[in-house]
Amino acid sequence: MGKPSGFLETDRQPGVKLPVDERIKHFNEFESNVSDSVLEEQASRCMDCGVPSCHAYGCGVKNRIPDWNDLIYKGHWKRALALLHSTNNFPEFTGRVCPATCEASCTLSINRRPVTIRQIEKQIAERGWKEGWIQPQPAEFKTGKRVAVIGSGPAGLAAAQQLVRKGHNVTVFEKDDRIGGMLRYGIPDYKIDRSVLDRRLNQLIEEGVSFETQVDAGIDVSAMYLSRSFDAVVICVGAQIPRNLVIPGRGLNGVHFAMPFLTQQNKRNAGDTIPENEAITAQGKNVIVIGGGDTGSDCIGTSIRQGAASVTHIYYQDVPPKERALCNPWPEWPTTFSTSSSQEEGCERFWKYQTKEFVGANGNLTGLKVAELDWTRPADGSRGTYTEIPGSEKIIPADLVFISIGFQHCEHGPLLMDLKLELDKRGRVKIDDNQMTCLPGIFAAGDAELGASLVVRAIYSGRQAAAGVHQYLMSERTLKLKENESR
Ligand SMILES: Cc1cc2nc3c(=O)[nH]c(=O)nc-3n(C[C@H](O)[C@H](O)[C@H](O)COP(=O)(O)OP(=O)(O)OC[C@H]3O[C@@H](n4cnc5c(N)ncnc54)[C@H](O)[C@@H]3O)c2cc1C
């Protein structure tokens, strides 16, 4: 620990966000970095506490946060970068989009403002790119083993990078036209500029990863072909089946799932043209977003940037408390009232609304019928129960509604079905401790096995799967089996 009194002397100073009226004019990132010297001071706030909950409990990739905070405070940026990369392949992604559960579990956050861990992570990575410290790390020798990775989101990319660095020949199959999963088509560009993704993809390509886009595994290449032609397969197909809201009027024009809307905007930003008959735009419209989370927030920020006339965000839950409830102690993620950067940009928020019906005329949406809910909250603050308030129904005018109430699981299409993979009760691919599915040599990672989660957890899962694959491929038993097969 570099400076025992750092947390007493220095207050939290994160990067500065562009003012709302400036940032909503474009889809560019809007959070600035602090100077290197300010960042070093910020790192000095880390108390190197006995049990670093940020690392052990809060961080999805088990980043060694106190150690790199100490290195940054002492000015050893290159060593901090190496330490960061030892647990996280893509710190510049998590440094931008992670909700920073580590900060919620930072000991300082008990009675002060936590260390700016996410900002420090981002700036270590950015300095690494600027200084040229981040270079391809091709394997020194080749194993001759072939691995197929299905899906190119953060889980697939992390698995691919770990495996190619171990000397395996890795091919990533992606059904979309561009690589990146939700980092490409999902998360808005204003949260992560696509050049940040492309820069890292070039590193993977130079390390030897082959990418094949517009290949729907299970359809364009059969599951049988994949399992026979590759020594191992890692399924990283995400959890892209959205939860639906099955209420009257669901088929009206103007009612959409969140993802097509967000993806179209990502594509426009990339220079693509969306055919007019498919385009979903919020310009000049009264928009309602149903459901919270990142996806809901992203619909708000995107609608505002497109020039929506109004944006309303509705939740069926009770208003979260301002302070942690008894049932939600530190170091857990606080389920307290918060405002995302997109909500800050201008939307009305309503809690305790039950959605009853999409209302329309001539096949087009004109409003959303809701009823108010009465929630009872137990004394410890845990989730209560609700009843509908009789006579509270009303219609909120709307031209466009986005359903953003979460994702069910990965697609149970030909790939999973033909391989006859076991699924759990929630429809996730079942894996063992080495991330292997019920079929030897077939592994799974990311949202496909976790359920809809976070970029940081997808990276960790991809890394774990890669370790499982490497162990499997290099184990004596597998080597003998393969030798016998080739005789
Ligand atoms: C709108 C939105 C915003 C989000 N914002 C955040 C955020 O701010 N911070 C955060 O931490 N997390 C966020 N998340 C969650 C995060 O993006 C995911 O948890 C993460 O991307 C999961 O990674 P993955 O690699 O498992 O899957 P994905 O990123 O979903 O990638 C799966 C890939 O597999 C491909 N694929 C699927 N089936 C096949 C097939 N048969 N053949 C070939 N390819 C296939 C898909 O096309 C896709 O490219 C967000 C999610 C969404 C939807």
Side-chain angles (χ1 to χ4, degrees):
M1 177 184 185
K3 195 174 190 191
S5 56
F7 71 100
L8 294 170
E9 293 163 19
T10 308
D11 198 3
R12 178 181 164 98
Q13 186 181 336
V16 178
K17 290 188 202 132
L18 271 182
V20 167
D21 54 346
E22 278 182 45
R23 71 190 194 224
I24 62 169
K25 289 182 190 146
H26 54 73
F27 284 87
N28 303 332
E29 286 185 15
F30 53 81
E31 240 181 72
S32 70
N33 289 339
V34 296
S35 69
D36 286 358
S37 58
V38 168
L39 199 84
E40 287 168 11
E41 257 192 352
Q42 288 296 301
S44 82
R45 298 182 69 235
C46 180
M47 301 190 292
D48 194 19
C49 27
V51 179
S53 303
C54 58
H55 151 82
Y57 178 85
C59 181
V61 279
K62 309 273 175 264
N63 275 338
R64 291 175 55 185
I65 296 162
D67 297 327
W68 42 256
N69 275 333
D70 186 38
L71 287 168
I72 289 300
Y73 168 62
K74 291 173 180 159
H76 303 308
W77 286 71
K78 198 171 178 183
R79 283 174 58 197
L81 178 70
L83 193 57
L84 185 48
H85 271 142
S86 73
T87 52
N88 185 352
N89 297 62
F90 315 125
E92 68 278 26
F93 302 169
T94 43
R96 285 174 166 79
V97 302
C98 198
T101 47
C102 52
E103 293 187 16
S105 60
C106 169
T107 305
L108 258 187
S109 75
I110 295 174
N111 60 353
R112 281 169 192 254
R113 301 200 297 160
V115 177
T116 51
I117 302 169
R118 186 174 64 81
Q119 183 85 32
I120 296 172
E121 178 181 42
K122 174 180 155 199
Q123 289 196 222
I124 296 173
E126 285 310 317
R127 173 98 184 251
W129 284 107
K130 194 171 123 208
E131 301 278 356
W133 296 332
I134 302 179
Q135 292 294 331
Q137 297 174 34
E140 281 174 16
F141 61 90
K142 288 282 185 189
T143 63
K145 300 285 170 200
R146 300 180 71 216
V147 184
V149 174
I150 316 299
S152 68
L157 294 178
Q161 184 164 59
Q162 292 296 99
L163 287 164
V164 82
R165 287 179 175 178
K166 290 282 186 199
H168 307 302
N169 292 315
V170 181
T171 306
V172 178
F173 294 99
E174 168 54 57
K175 71 175 176 184
D176 267 327
D177 59 345
R178 291 186 178 97
I179 295 296
M182 294 292 176
L183 292 165
R184 176 76 64 188
Y185 291 143
I187 301 177
D189 298 49
Y190 57 79
K191 277 163 73 178
I192 177 165
D193 192 281
R194 280 6 183 206
S195 63
V196 171
L197 176 58
D198 292 337
R199 178 174 70 177
R200 191 56 91 163
L201 290 178
N202 285 336
Q203 186 196 35
L204 268 75
I205 291 167
E206 286 182 37
E207 287 171 351
V209 177
S210 302
F211 289 102
E212 294 202 19
T213 53
Q214 292 178 299
V215 178
D216 194 338
I219 296 176
D220 299 322
V221 285
S222 72
M224 198 58 81
Y225 168 81
L226 288 168
S227 62
R228 284 207 184 134
S229 330
F230 289 87
D231 297 293
V233 177
V234 194
I235 295 175
C236 306
V237 293
Q240 304 192 333
I241 303 295
R243 271 188 230 289
N244 201 358
L245 185 59
V246 189
I247 54 174
R250 174 67 183 85
L252 289 168
N253 294 324
V255 183
H256 300 276
F257 284 122
M259 285 311 293
F261 172 64
L262 295 174
T263 302
Q264 284 188 2
Q265 188 55 51
N266 298 138
K267 290 195 173 204
R268 282 189 202 99
N269 295 338
D272 295 354
T273 305
I274 309 297
E276 221 170 281
N277 60 342
E278 290 171 25
I280 309 167
T281 54
Q283 192 182 11
K285 295 186 181 152
N286 294 306
V287 177
I288 297 180
V289 178
I290 303 173
D294 282 324
T295 310
S297 252
D298 296 345
C299 287
I300 293 168
T302 303
S303 298
I304 289 171
R305 280 165 182 72
Q306 288 187 358
S310 72
V311 183
T312 305
H313 197 183
I314 67 168
Y315 311 75
Y316 84 99
Q317 296 98 327
D318 199 354
V319 190
K322 288 216 167 71
E323 303 289 334
R324 285 176 181 277
L326 280 178
C327 67
N328 176 216
W330 177 89
E332 285 180 6
W333 177 254
T335 49
T336 49
F337 185 92
S338 64
T339 300
S340 72
S341 62
S342 294
Q343 289 165 334
E344 206 176 83
E345 289 164 1
C347 73
E348 250 195 300
R349 297 162 82 183
F350 295 103
W351 278 266
K352 302 189 273 188
Y353 274 1
Q354 179 79 291
T355 46
K356 303 290 285 186
E357 183 183 343
F358 297 110
V359 184
N362 306 320
N364 296 320
L365 178 80
T366 54
L368 177 68
K369 188 188 278 182
V370 294
E372 282 179 47
L373 299 175
D374 185 17
W375 277 87
T376 53
R377 191 179 276 278
D380 68 352
S382 57
R383 191 191 154 90
T385 53
Y386 61 83
T387 51
E388 203 176 298
I389 301 175
S392 65
E393 281 187 0
K394 62 176 174 183
I395 293 172
I396 311 175
D399 311 299
L400 198 55
V401 168
F402 295 119
I403 301 171
S404 166
I405 54 175
F407 295 85
Q408 301 179 54
H409 45 63
C410 55
E411 201 175 312
H412 297 162
L415 178 66
L416 268 60
M417 292 304 110
D418 292 351
L419 291 172
K420 298 191 175 56
L421 295 187
E422 255 183 68
L423 305 173
D424 70 10
K425 273 191 276 181
R426 288 168 54 189
R428 300 173 298 191
V429 180
K430 235 179 172 178
I431 50 165
D432 66 13
D433 291 347
N434 293 318
Q435 305 231 171
M436 191 151 76
T437 65
C438 59
L439 212 61
I442 311 287
F443 294 74
D447 282 4
E449 62 93 0
L450 295 163
S453 186
L454 294 174
V455 169
V456 69
R457 295 194 188 123
I459 294 172
Y460 184 73
S461 174
R463 291 171 62 89
Q464 295 296 101
V469 169
H470 183 63
Q471 194 188 13
Y472 168 79
L473 291 179
M474 297 293 105
S475 78
E476 267 184 43
R477 191 171 161 272
T478 310
L479 290 173
K480 272 202 192 117
L481 278 175
K482 298 279 172 192
E483 208 179 280
N484 291 341
E485 265 174 28
S486 62
R487 273 195 195 136

